[in-house]
Each structure stands twice: as C-alpha cells, then as structure tokens.
Amino acid sequence: MTSRHDGRAQHPAFARIMFVVALALGASSAFARDVETIRQYQFERAASGYRIVLKEVPRPVTGVGEVLVRVRAASLNRRDLNMLRTDYAENSGYAGGIPLSDGAGEVIAVGEGVTAFKVGDRVAGVFFEQWIAGAGSEEALLSDRGGNAGGMLSEVIVTHETGLVPIPAHLSYEEAATLPCAALTAWVGLFKRGHIAPGQYVLLEGTGGVSVFGLIFSSVAGAKPIITSSRDSNLQRALEMGAIGTANYRSNPDWHLKVKEISGGHGVDQVLDVGGRDTLDKALQILAYGGHIALIGGLSGYGSELPTDAIMWINATASGVYVGSREDFMAMNALISEHKIRPLIDRVFEFEQAPDAFEYMASGDFMGKIVIRL
Ligand SMILES: NC(=O)c1ccc[n+]([C@@H]2O[C@H](COP(=O)([O-])OP(=O)(O)OC[C@H]3O[C@@H](n4cnc5c(N)ncnc54)[C@H](OP(=O)(O)O)[C@@H]3O)[C@@H](O)[C@H]2O)c1
C-alpha cells in the first residue's frame, strides 16, 4: 500500500457523547433519557447538486438479522463524485442519505437471528445491500449503498447480515475499504465474464480505481496488461506494477494503434471499457478475435454506438457489468487472499477532511484509490 498522506493524526475517540434530554412533566416529576450519538455525513442540497455535511445522529440499533458495524475506513468512486453534481443529482432524492458505497470496519453488535457474523469480525459492505447471488433482481439493484441505500461515511452503520462479507486477513481496513465497487467491477469483467487466461492482452483505460485493479488482477492471472493514462508519471508507475506497455491517450490521439503495436499486432483479448464515448470505438477497433469487452463506464460520457457487426465478425463478446453480487465479492476475496493482493491507495484522508477527499478526486491528480479513515 502507498500513501501520500501518512499522518495518522489524532483519531478522535469514538464519539460517545451522552445527551441528557430532560422533559419536565409537571411540577413534581421529570423524565430523563440518554441518547447515544454518532457522527455521519449526509447529502444536503446545494445550489447545484449536493454537498456533504457532518451531522450528529442517534446511534443506530440492530433489528432481527441485522449487524452494527463500526466503520473504520471508506473509499471514493467516480460515482460518489458524480452524485454531488447536477447531472446525477437531477430529480434524485439523496438528501439526508449517507454517502459512499464502499467501506470496511468491525462488527460491534449483532441482532437476533444473525448467524454469519459475531462481534469483532472484520467486514466490508457489499455494494448492493440486497444482491446476494445470481443475476440480481430490480429490487436488489436498487439497494446500492451510498445512493438508494445508506452509505458507509458514518461512524456506525446498521445493515442486514447478507449485506456484508468478511475481509481478507492480510488487508488493513483502509485497503479492504477499496474493494466493494472498483475491485469487484474489474474482477467480474475479467474473471467472471471475460474468463481471462494467461498470456492474454488486456487493455485498461486510465489509472483510476477500476483500471488499476484491472492491472493488478491481470498480472496475477498471468495476462499481459497494457494501460493508458493522461499522465506519464502514472504510466511509469503502472510499468513498475506489471504493465507490459503503456500509451498516453492525451498526447497520442491514436493511442489504440500504439496498444495494438505493443501486442505485436494481435490486438487485445480483454478490455475494461471505463471511458465510454471516447474509448469504446477505439477499443473495439483493436479487439482480438474471440475477445471480450466489459462495458463499465462513461468517463467521457455514455452513448457510443456499438458496431454489432464488428463484434460479430471476430466472434467477440460484449457484456454489461454493474459491479457484482455478494457471491462474486466472496469469490474475489478468495483470489485476493490466495495471492495476497494489495490495492493501490493514493492517499488517505481523515474523517473530518472528507469534503477534501472529494475535491482531491475532482482534481484528477491521483492513481488508484482515495480513502477516508474513520
Ligand atoms: N458499471 C459499473 O459497475 C461501474 C463500477 C465502477 C465504476 N464505473 C464507472 O467506470 C468509470 C471509472 O470509474 P472509477 O471509479 O474507476 O474512476 P476514477 O477512479 O475516478 O478514475 C478516473 C480516471 O480515469 C481516467 N480517465 C478519465 N477520462 C478518461 C478518458 N476519456 N479515457 C480514458 N481514461 C480516462 C483518468 O486517468 P488518468 O489520470 O490516468 O488519465 C482518471 O483519473 C466511471 O465512469 C464510473 O462511473 C462503473
């Protein structure tokens, strides 16, 4: 793990602020109640889109089948930044919701009937709280954390036990917090849908969260990752991490031709397309016979025209990937544990600096994952 920001500054003691609410009930009697509170960020409407604000709220309690988690770290994805902006925020009802889909922490209480976890277990939240296995129902896909369901940027969260997975033993909470969205999306694209094999050429676009996990996973699979970036320093770092070749998509508009050249004219067998409008067409032009392209993102906008004939002539497959299920998360964690895989963390922010973490992502000057420590 790397961190540009290593000052493990004062972690404020877990906020256990006791309020005494006294309600006078007549002249001779009084009713007093202790309310334990926690701190959490919530979406609040701004002039344009949303902002996140720190609130003090009553500590949640467990119901049947539910688990209380003391969150220790959360991480950002592009989606979280987009949600603050008008384009995602339009007509949405996020106000009062808790941001960030990704986080990891420790189980501090279990409700009646919980069998999968006990107090002290180290866990991460599943991106879709209710997508356990299979293709995922409409209802399950509407249980996205940090959006339609409560997020992880809260000192304590309550969730159903099936909304959690155990985290690999060799990972810190900061590292495990990077897994639920970006890592799982890359894993599903390469392993579950793409059936990645040793020796295959893999195209990874940019050096953000999904793509850097794609780089790490491709290397572990014995494949040959080729990665693009607008920053030469990130490309250099990617070579040190196992990329066999690189292309700067900013200085070289024909970056896809360079990628094909690096593959010796073969083309790429696997693509994690996170770029969308600017990248999909070029990636398809260099897709190898029998190749697989995972349709993941729209960093340059969605809405490319998919040339179905081009896919057909080369017996290629294209699949839409929307993160993954709990079952997928468990399978990915088995691979991460077996190979002692470690995520690339660019920078860690403290809880009180959470708005700065969003600004940092907006700057674009990062590689891999941005984490917030709680
Ligand atoms: N379908 C799903 O389940 C799913 C899951 C996760 C993410 N996504 C989507 O996938 C995309 C990536 O998400 P992320 O969280 O990995 O983003 P991220 O961590 O914010 O990474 C963004 C990076 O991508 C690169 N980039 C930006 N514009 C690009 C372009 N036009 N062509 C190539 N690279 C470009 C830049 O890298 P350099 O600095 O190296 O140039 C940028 O730093 C987003 O659109 C996100 O919404 C979808």
Side-chain angles (χ1 to χ4, degrees):
M1 177 183 93
T2 64
S3 171
R4 284 188 201 168
H5 174 94
D6 242 326
R8 185 181 279 272
Q10 310 306 296
H11 192 290
F14 175 26
R16 286 171 178 262
I17 304 164
M18 303 298 284
F19 283 112
V20 178
V21 178
L23 300 174
L25 297 174
S28 60
S29 68
F31 167 78
R33 184 162 60 96
D34 291 341
V35 179
E36 192 174 353
T37 63
I38 58 151
R39 295 178 307 157
Q40 71 180 199
Y41 282 90
Q42 293 182 1
F43 290 111
E44 193 174 272
R45 271 285 180 196
S48 156
Y50 289 95
R51 62 172 165 260
I52 61 164
V53 288
L54 192 55
K55 300 266 185 182
E56 200 157 307
V57 299
R59 177 180 151 121
V61 292
T62 53
V64 175
E66 289 182 336
V67 174
L68 220 55
V69 178
R70 171 61 172 99
V71 180
R72 292 291 176 192
S75 86
L76 273 71
N77 293 284
R78 178 65 38 171
R79 159 189 183 265
D80 303 308
L81 184 60
N82 290 345
M83 286 173 68
L84 299 187
R85 295 174 171 171
T86 335
D87 46 354
Y88 261 45
E90 207 75 43
N91 301 321
S92 61
Y94 299 140
I98 309 168
L100 298 193
S101 57
D102 293 10
E106 182 188 349
V107 172
I108 53 171
V110 294
E112 189 188 331
V114 168
T115 55
F117 299 102
K118 61 181 187 318
V119 171
D121 284 351
R122 301 166 78 240
V123 294
V126 182
F127 182 92
F128 294 105
E129 193 178 0
Q130 294 174 38
W131 185 7
I132 297 169
S137 63
E138 182 180 352
E139 188 190 3
L141 296 181
L142 281 173
S143 67
D144 53 305
R145 289 191 197 277
N148 289 304
M152 301 297 284
L153 201 50
S154 174
E155 287 176 328
V156 176
I157 62 139
V158 63
T159 184
H160 195 270
E161 63 174 328
T162 54
L164 298 170
V165 292
I167 59 177
H170 69 286
L171 296 185
S172 66
Y173 285 124
E174 283 91 354
E175 290 170 323
T178 67
L179 302 178
C181 180
L184 190 54
T185 302
W187 181 88
V188 169
L190 292 173
F191 289 90
K192 186 176 178 183
R193 301 288 181 74
H195 306 291
I196 189 171
Q200 288 191 331
Y201 291 98
V202 183
L203 170 61
L204 304 156
E205 302 165 350
T207 55
V210 174
S211 299
V212 170
F213 272 114
L215 169 63
I216 296 169
F217 288 147
S218 303
S219 302
V220 164
K224 298 172 182 167
I226 303 170
I227 195 162
T228 69
S229 178
S230 57
R231 295 162 200 275
D232 288 336
S233 54
N234 288 14
L235 293 177
Q236 182 53 41
R237 184 78 202 275
L239 287 172
E240 291 158 14
M241 291 177 65
I244 65 144
T246 64
N248 187 317
Y249 66 85
R250 182 70 43 80
S251 61
N252 179 7
D254 289 330
W255 54 268
H256 58 306
L257 301 182
K258 183 172 180 211
V259 170
K260 186 159 186 179
E261 193 183 307
I262 293 167
S263 73
H266 173 84
V268 288
D269 303 289
Q270 304 281 345
V271 180
L272 296 184
D273 187 65
V274 296
R277 198 177 291 149
D278 286 354
T279 55
L280 182 57
D281 186 54
K282 289 181 173 176
L284 283 169
Q285 288 178 39
I286 59 165
L287 194 60
Y289 283 82
H292 172 255
I293 184 160
L295 306 173
I296 293 173
L299 286 165
S300 59
Y302 291 93
S304 309
E305 282 182 22
L306 202 59
T308 47
D309 55 340
I311 294 173
M312 178 191 71
W313 295 129
I314 60 168
N315 281 308
T317 52
S319 38
V321 173
Y322 193 14
V323 196
S325 65
R326 179 176 197 265
E327 184 179 67
D328 297 328
F329 200 163
M330 302 277 273
M332 175 184 75
N333 279 350
L335 179 87
I336 289 173
S337 295
E338 182 188 349
H339 295 276
K340 297 284 183 287
I341 291 171
R342 302 202 98 97
L344 180 70
I345 295 178
D346 181 287
R347 184 166 167 182
V348 180
F349 289 82
E350 298 301 330
F351 189 48
E352 296 74 13
Q353 302 172 304
D356 299 338
F358 282 77
E359 287 297 316
Y360 187 63
M361 175 170 257
S363 78
D365 188 12
F366 67 96
M367 178 169 177
K369 297 298 296 178
I370 299 165
V371 170
I372 296 169
R373 181 160 44 212
L374 285 83

